[in-house]
Amino acid sequence: MRTEQPKMIYLKDYQAPEYLIDETHLTFELFEDHSLVHAQLVMRRNPARGAGLPPLVLDGQQLELLSVSLADQPLGAGDYQLDDNHLTLHPASASFTVDTSVRINPQTNTALEGLYKSSGMFCTQCEAEGFRKITYYLDRPDVMSKFTTTVVAEQHRYPVLLSNGNPIASGPGEDGRHWATWEDPFMKPAYLFALVAGDLWCVEDSFCTMSGRDVALRIYVEPENIDKCQHAMNSLKKSMRWDEQTYGREYDLDIFMIVAVNDFNMGAMENKGLNIFNSSAVLARAETATDAAHQRVEAIVAHEYFHNWSGNRVTCRDWFQLSLKEGFTVFRDAGFSSDMNSRTVKRIQDVAYLRTHQFAEDAGPMAHAVRPESFIEISNFYTLTVYEKGSEVVGMIHTLLGAEGFRKGSDLYFERHDGQAVTCDDFVKAMEDANGVDLTQFKRWYSQAGTPRLAVSEAYDAAAKTYSLTFRQSCPQTPDKVEKLPFVIPVELGLLDSQGAAIALRLAGEASAQGNSRVISVTEAEQTFTFVDVAERPLPSLLRGFSAPVKLSFPYDRDQLMFLMQHDSDGFNRWEAGQQLAVQVLQELIGQHQQGQALVMDQRLVTALGSVLADESLDPAMVAEMLSLPGEAYLTEISEVADVEAIHGAREFARKQLAEQLFAALLKRYQANRELSRATAYVAESEHFARRALQNIALSYLMLVGKPEVLAAAIEQFDSADNMTERLTALAVLVNSPFEAEKAQALAVFAENFKDNALVMDQWFSVQAASPLPGGLERVKALMQHPAFNIKNPNKVRALIGAFAGQNLINFHAADGSGYRFLADLVIQLNGFNPQIASRQLAPLTRWRKYDSARQALMKVELERIRASGELSSDVFEVVSKSLA
Ligand code: B3K
Ligand code: ZN
């Protein structure tokens, strides 16, 4: 909790540290009501800061200082200064040691930052600034140190004692206690420190690296979860091999550990050699985790593992550079997932997510650049912009340089900066130097917030056989800046002739055509590209693979979109054409709804999706993606003023129309795939994910028609599926159906069967919280009283409250403001014990500008109420005050 008004911190104020910590020796004594932390820091003046010995200001929060020595001399009260956030010492020589002992209370740490207890085990979360809640330290990423850690705890309760690096010694202690010492040979900042003590079992495996070293791999979990680790272990081994093959990166310690904990503020954390994971990002087996959960585990295991190089070996100089490690690592994990599954489907999912959520962030009060220039609370900047847009920025560098050039750049980056704490500029510089290119203008992607618009128009000259495309870029103002300079926008494109065949692409001035699909760089506010030898008016396929995170507009008519859906050689753009067609049709329906007219849907959408459904040669995962209409949140994002009822009404109407008119085709694909599911045991592989995705989306359409045979099919799938993917979809379609008795029965059976599995119960909560049927808020309130709900557990909060406010738009945005009131009450409550979660849950209220004036007023009242509610954490303070600015 803050004691003074939180302050804004600026990138321009960065200064290198006054002192360095060469070695850090820690001893933790863990007890049931408190813990003692003894730290010895081997320090010296930072030569880069010149001569002189300024005061040494160590960070520390919520620590009870028991003793402090400087250069082996115990200090008395007058020898140092202490406030809520710092311990200030006065060194008398350039090299010295600092010894401190502090008492901390992990048992009462509900913020889940620093050292805390979760389900009987001790664990840590230090990124970004949690280490200062463990001991006095220079808690900043550019202070890197060699850590040795000894953990002492009761043997019986905590047989497993872990920290970073390699185990070097262990033994019994007094009074039933024991100890273990770990040494991490790699210099690291404090945010990568980790400690775990608990009664854990582990699954073991090994990996032989490309240079022939054997690495022990261990996944630690609570004993009852030991049967749910194999998928994560397989994912880990695949990640290790992939990083060797794709980036030439080899693992560097003798052991790599993952520990699953139940109470965790985010997905996982890349601590050196000792990754700590939310159990939802580790545990997966057919009966309890969906296909999506399996893919999420694979992606997060990979992401954290890849951080070993992009983040740990080369780390961030300061927290403004967060995207240096996060954007790059998301780009790396997306490449991995694309190679493990379908590249096109992965791209579709990532783009849909980015356009729905990151674009909304860019358009809201928390909009910030990929490399922000200021912040109040860094925890608020683990955002879609830093992660997902950051990954797009790295992806554009990849597109501009090509795979080989990019690899040369990443090799140089890792080689040049190994063991250093660096900036986004250093990353780009390595890409420039390795390729002899100038990315100066490109770097505006790091400093300018907001989603650029790219409006494209065409002109065909039949006599000259030339075809020109004119691009006009602009970027709306964001809270940080009004005027934006032109970006470098790589646009991958192709031209289709009237048969759907690709036209060879030759720009005016070029000696010959250069392929059928190519990347052009739009670098000016307005720029025209003229293609020659174009024998007939072509149809352009623009921004293939979503080659830049922009809002592109081109005046396609619906027939042209249907043509692209069928003929575009770029799979992503075939999907995109279908989405644009659906958006046009849905926007027309939204208009009809607003006018109070009867809704009449353009039949071309039915025809287009009907042919997708009938095409058995298409990847079923692609078919499933193409059948998914743009979501309500996306339709909200692209609206000037979002009309909650009209969006929901129009989309539901369209879904029902499609279900009725394509009933036979949907049923056929459903039955064929359900048959296969029945005949084969569950396999967690791409082909099977694809098949089940189609089966399940077909079932959710079919169920809208309300036929008894479909109800029977849903119940059959619910009762006899051997996996959670099929069972949960069956539950969801029942929950969203009007069949009250069957719904109640399914919910009760599910809860009874899975009451002991917290992660499965999370899904049970989410399915109900996201149901758009009337009465959503009452259902959520009732579920908060369920014995399996626990507001202290972040997964539960996300499953119930996050799903309600984030996915159930029609209920959350109830015109009477009841949803807003509920969320504000909850944020006020969460602020009192877990500021990070409080601040995250607040996001839907920050989007108030998207809504009608009545809703805007209601949302602002709630933001004001939170602001006035008392002691706000810096996390909530920043979001609320920026939202109301
Ligand atoms: N680096 C962590 C995120 C830490 C968030 C701290 N509030 C997980 C990740 O991105 O891999
Ligand atoms: Zn990360």
Side-chain angles (χ1 to χ4, degrees):
M1 239 24 44
R2 75 193 166 93
T3 49
E4 53 200 58
Q5 177 89 348
K7 281 198 207 55
M8 192 78 90
I9 303 165
Y10 295 91
L11 168 58
K12 64 176 166 42
D13 294 341
Y14 172 82
Q15 290 206 305
E18 301 277 15
Y19 291 94
L20 303 175
I21 309 176
D22 292 324
E23 293 173 35
T24 301
H25 302 279
L26 302 169
T27 300
F28 288 79
E29 295 186 71
L30 307 177
F31 299 101
E32 287 320 290
D33 56 350
H34 71 285
S35 293
L36 301 177
V37 185
H38 311 285
Q40 178 173 73
L41 313 180
V42 179
M43 302 194 64
R44 67 190 154 95
R45 169 75 174 150
N46 182 1
R49 294 302 305 268
L53 293 173
L56 166 62
V57 185
L58 297 169
D59 304 296
Q61 273 173 11
Q62 298 162 32
L63 306 174
E64 185 189 336
L65 182 64
L66 302 177
S67 68
V68 49
S69 302
L70 177 61
D72 294 325
Q73 297 301 312
L75 301 184
D79 302 330
Y80 58 85
Q81 289 75 46
L82 198 57
D83 67 28
D84 283 347
N85 297 304
H86 308 105
L87 168 62
T88 304
L89 307 180
H90 302 278
S93 66
S95 298
F96 52 90
T97 54
V98 172
D99 289 84
T100 58
S101 290
V102 300
R103 180 199 299 262
I104 55 177
N105 294 302
Q107 282 79 0
T108 57
N109 179 348
T110 54
L112 314 183
E113 192 188 40
L115 179 66
Y116 64 95
K117 280 200 90 172
S118 170
S119 309
M121 67 195 267
F122 286 92
C123 61
T124 52
Q125 172 53 37
C126 295
E127 189 178 357
E129 298 181 335
F131 193 72
R132 62 188 63 188
K133 295 179 168 182
I134 292 176
T135 191
Y136 287 104
Y137 206 73
L138 295 176
D139 188 8
R140 44 187 288 170
D142 56 354
V143 172
M144 299 173 79
S145 184
K146 208 176 134 188
F147 280 69
T148 312
T149 305
T150 299
V151 190
V152 192
E154 196 184 318
Q155 161 105 48
H156 180 69
R157 283 183 211 250
Y158 311 104
V160 173
L161 305 175
L162 309 174
S163 190
N164 314 88
N166 301 311
I168 54 169
S170 61
E174 286 168 7
D175 302 331
R177 295 170 73 76
H178 71 143
W179 60 274
T181 299
W182 292 76
E183 185 183 73
D184 184 354
F186 292 94
M187 303 283 278
K188 66 166 177 289
Y191 84 85
L192 290 172
F193 171 80
L195 174 157
V196 168
D199 184 3
L200 301 168
W201 286 11
C202 83
V203 168
E204 265 204 273
D205 208 324
S206 71
F207 179 84
C208 182
T209 70
M210 62 187 183
S211 70
R213 278 186 313 103
D214 277 319
V215 178
L217 309 178
R218 291 195 190 143
I219 300 182
Y220 287 92
V221 293
E222 291 174 90
E224 69 264 27
N225 290 325
I226 199 75
D227 61 345
K228 304 185 188 74
C229 301
Q230 199 51 51
H231 182 67
M233 185 62 90
N234 295 344
S235 304
L236 175 60
K237 289 193 284 181
K238 287 187 207 168
S239 309
M240 295 178 86
R241 192 61 77 211
W242 186 90
D243 212 18
E244 294 184 343
Q245 289 168 349
T246 315
Y247 281 86
R249 299 294 113 201
E250 186 176 2
Y251 186 64
D252 48 15
L253 288 163
D254 301 334
I255 179 166
F256 184 84
M257 298 171 284
I258 289 176
V259 180
V261 310
N262 297 327
D263 303 284
F264 207 65
N265 283 345
M266 65 273 172
M269 178 63 211
E270 69 265 24
N271 316 299
K272 183 75 187 189
L274 178 56
N275 286 191
I276 297 184
F277 272 55
N278 187 321
S279 48
S280 75
V282 185
L283 306 177
R285 60 178 287 132
E287 297 81 355
T288 52
T290 61
D291 290 347
H294 278 80
Q295 285 174 287
R296 177 170 176 265
V297 166
E298 181 179 80
I300 297 182
V301 166
H303 179 97
E304 306 310 332
Y305 173 73
F306 297 154
H307 268 315
N308 190 55
W309 275 95
S310 49
N312 301 4
R313 290 287 288 256
V314 183
T315 195
C316 301
R317 188 194 72 172
D318 55 73
W319 291 121
F320 298 98
Q321 319 295 331
L322 182 57
S323 196
L324 171 75
K325 73 177 178 80
E326 295 305 347
F328 186 23
T329 305
V330 172
F331 176 76
R332 278 152 56 67
D333 83 56
F336 169 75
S337 293
S338 302
D339 285 345
M340 298 301 121
N341 302 288
S342 151
R343 180 163 292 271
T344 306
V345 170
K346 169 71 178 154
R347 189 66 188 141
I348 288 169
Q349 291 168 348
D350 286 352
V351 171
Y353 186 70
L354 181 90
R355 287 204 294 219
T356 302
H357 303 290
Q358 196 279 326
F359 283 14
E361 184 168 278
D362 251 350
M366 286 291 290
H368 55 274
V370 167
R371 184 189 50 219
E373 266 147 39
S374 66
F375 58 72
I376 292 178
E377 172 52 64
I378 182 57
S379 299
N380 284 329
F381 285 77
Y382 288 77
T383 58
L384 296 146
T385 301
V386 165
Y387 277 67
E388 273 69 30
K389 187 175 179 179
S391 164
E392 294 298 319
V393 171
V394 175
M396 286 188 286
I397 297 179
H398 187 276
T399 300
L400 291 168
L401 301 181
E404 241 178 76
F406 184 85
R407 172 66 194 270
K408 278 199 244 155
S410 69
D411 282 352
L412 179 60
Y413 168 72
F414 288 126
E415 187 202 327
R416 189 184 267 177
H417 298 296
D418 190 11
Q420 297 176 6
V422 303
T423 64
C424 298
D425 287 332
D426 293 317
F427 179 79
V428 176
K429 184 84 169 70
M431 290 289 163
E432 291 181 324
D433 291 353
N435 290 278
V437 295
D438 180 353
L439 295 170
T440 309
Q441 186 188 346
F442 180 85
K443 287 206 292 184
R444 290 177 188 158
W445 282 107
Y446 286 95
S447 57
Q448 296 190 142
T451 308
R453 311 269 193 275
L454 190 59
V456 191
S457 58
E458 63 176 353
Y460 181 64
D461 183 336
K465 293 198 177 132
T466 61
Y467 179 71
S468 299
L469 287 169
T470 298
F471 296 82
R472 287 183 192 82
Q473 59 162 309
S474 61
C475 184
Q477 75 174 73
T478 40
D480 57 334
K481 270 190 200 104
V482 177
E483 292 298 325
K484 309 283 168 81
L485 296 168
F487 291 87
V488 174
I489 302 180
V491 179
E492 182 172 351
L493 53 76
L495 301 177
L496 279 67
D497 70 16
S498 52
Q499 303 306 302
I503 296 174
L505 300 177
R506 181 177 158 208
L507 282 168
E510 289 177 347
S512 59
Q514 299 185 12
N516 295 329
S517 192
R518 57 190 283 183
V519 179
I520 56 158
S521 282
V522 177
T523 57
E524 290 160 31
E526 180 174 331
Q527 205 169 352
T528 299
F529 293 83
T530 300
F531 294 92
V532 298
D533 301 338
V534 184
E536 56 171 308
R537 174 181 282 277
L539 186 61
S541 163
L542 301 165
L543 209 69
R544 285 181 160 171
F546 201 66
S547 57
V550 300
K551 289 190 177 178
L552 178 117
S553 58
F554 180 85
Y556 290 117
D557 66 32
R558 294 182 199 177
D559 294 324
Q560 289 174 325
L561 290 170
M562 288 176 76
F563 187 84
L564 286 174
M565 274 178 86
Q566 284 209 309
H567 298 290
D568 202 319
S569 60
D570 183 68
F572 175 85
N573 265 13
R574 278 202 302 277
W575 170 81
E576 173 64 6
Q579 291 291 295
Q580 286 193 41
L581 175 64
V583 164
Q584 286 193 17
V585 171
L586 288 165
Q587 283 177 335
E588 192 168 77
L589 290 170
I590 290 168
Q592 293 166 2
H593 192 287
Q594 288 171 329
Q595 307 294 315
Q597 298 165 357
L599 305 190
V600 185
M601 187 167 92
D602 187 335
Q603 283 301 304
R604 282 176 286 192
L605 187 60
V606 182
T607 310
L609 295 187
S611 38
V612 168
L613 199 50
D615 187 347
E616 307 233 355
S617 72
L618 287 176
D619 171 3
M622 268 299 277
V623 178
E625 292 298 341
M626 295 191 82
L627 288 177
S628 306
L629 295 181
E632 290 180 21
Y634 180 64
L635 294 167
T636 300
E637 207 290 309
I638 59 175
S639 309
E640 267 311 307
V641 177
D643 182 333
V644 179
E645 284 93 5
I647 288 174
H648 181 70
R651 189 172 182 278
E652 287 305 298
F653 176 82
R655 292 209 317 136
K656 190 139 189 244
Q657 287 288 305
L658 290 166
E660 280 167 0
Q661 299 190 46
L662 299 174
F663 189 84
L666 286 163
L667 189 61
K668 179 165 169 253
R669 307 265 355 221
Y670 172 74
Q671 285 172 334
N673 282 296
R674 173 70 190 125
E675 204 44 60
L676 274 170
S677 297
R678 258 200 304 264
T680 48
Y682 177 91
V683 191
E685 276 169 17
S686 172
E687 235 177 274
H688 297 264
F689 296 154
R691 197 170 63 59
R692 284 186 290 267
L694 176 54
Q695 174 191 329
N696 281 335
I697 192 166
L699 179 62
S700 43
Y701 272 114
L702 291 166
M703 199 66 179
L704 299 173
V705 184
K707 294 201 182 180
E709 69 257 40
V710 179
L711 174 62
I715 292 172
E716 184 279 330
Q717 176 165 323
F718 179 79
D719 287 340
S720 43
D722 69 346
N723 64 82
M724 186 51 73
T725 307
E726 290 182 276
R727 177 158 290 128
L728 192 72
T729 296
L731 179 70
V733 300
L734 289 166
V735 163
N736 293 323
S737 79
F739 304 109
E740 296 301 331
E742 289 80 359
K743 173 190 315 194
Q745 162 84 2
L747 282 169
V749 167
F750 192 99
E752 179 53 28
N753 287 345
F754 295 108
K755 61 177 182 293
D756 298 327
N757 187 320
L759 296 175
V760 179
M761 288 308 284
D762 289 345
Q763 304 175 57
W764 183 83
F765 282 119
S766 284
V767 160
Q768 297 175 78
S771 170
L773 295 180
L777 181 59
E778 283 61 45
R779 278 196 302 277
V780 170
K781 284 183 175 166
L783 286 168
M784 286 179 76
Q785 305 307 317
H786 191 277
F789 184 77
N790 170 7
I791 198 165
K792 297 273 165 71
N793 174 252
N795 287 354
K796 288 285 171 295
V797 173
R798 284 184 280 257
L800 190 53
I801 287 92
F804 173 67
Q807 294 168 39
N808 194 346
L809 303 187
I810 188 71
N811 275 298
F812 173 65
H813 290 281
D816 63 0
S818 52
Y820 308 149
R821 214 152 38 241
F822 166 76
L823 189 64
D825 283 338
L826 203 97
V827 167
I828 292 168
Q829 194 184 350
L830 289 167
N831 175 69
F833 60 86
N834 189 331
Q836 288 183 18
I837 297 297
S839 165
R840 289 270 151 164
Q841 294 303 314
L842 184 48
L845 284 175
T846 67
R847 310 274 192 257
W848 59 267
R849 280 191 182 82
K850 269 286 166 205
Y851 297 91
D852 54 82
S853 54
R855 284 190 173 85
Q856 288 199 1
L858 290 165
M859 292 170 98
K860 280 196 283 186
V861 164
E862 297 308 326
L863 287 164
E864 295 282 8
R865 196 159 64 82
I866 296 171
R867 178 153 70 179
S869 68
E871 278 277 284
L872 288 190
S873 58
S874 52
D875 310 62
V876 172
F877 173 84
E878 177 169 35
V879 176
V880 169
S881 50
K882 287 184 174 173
S883 299
L884 289 169

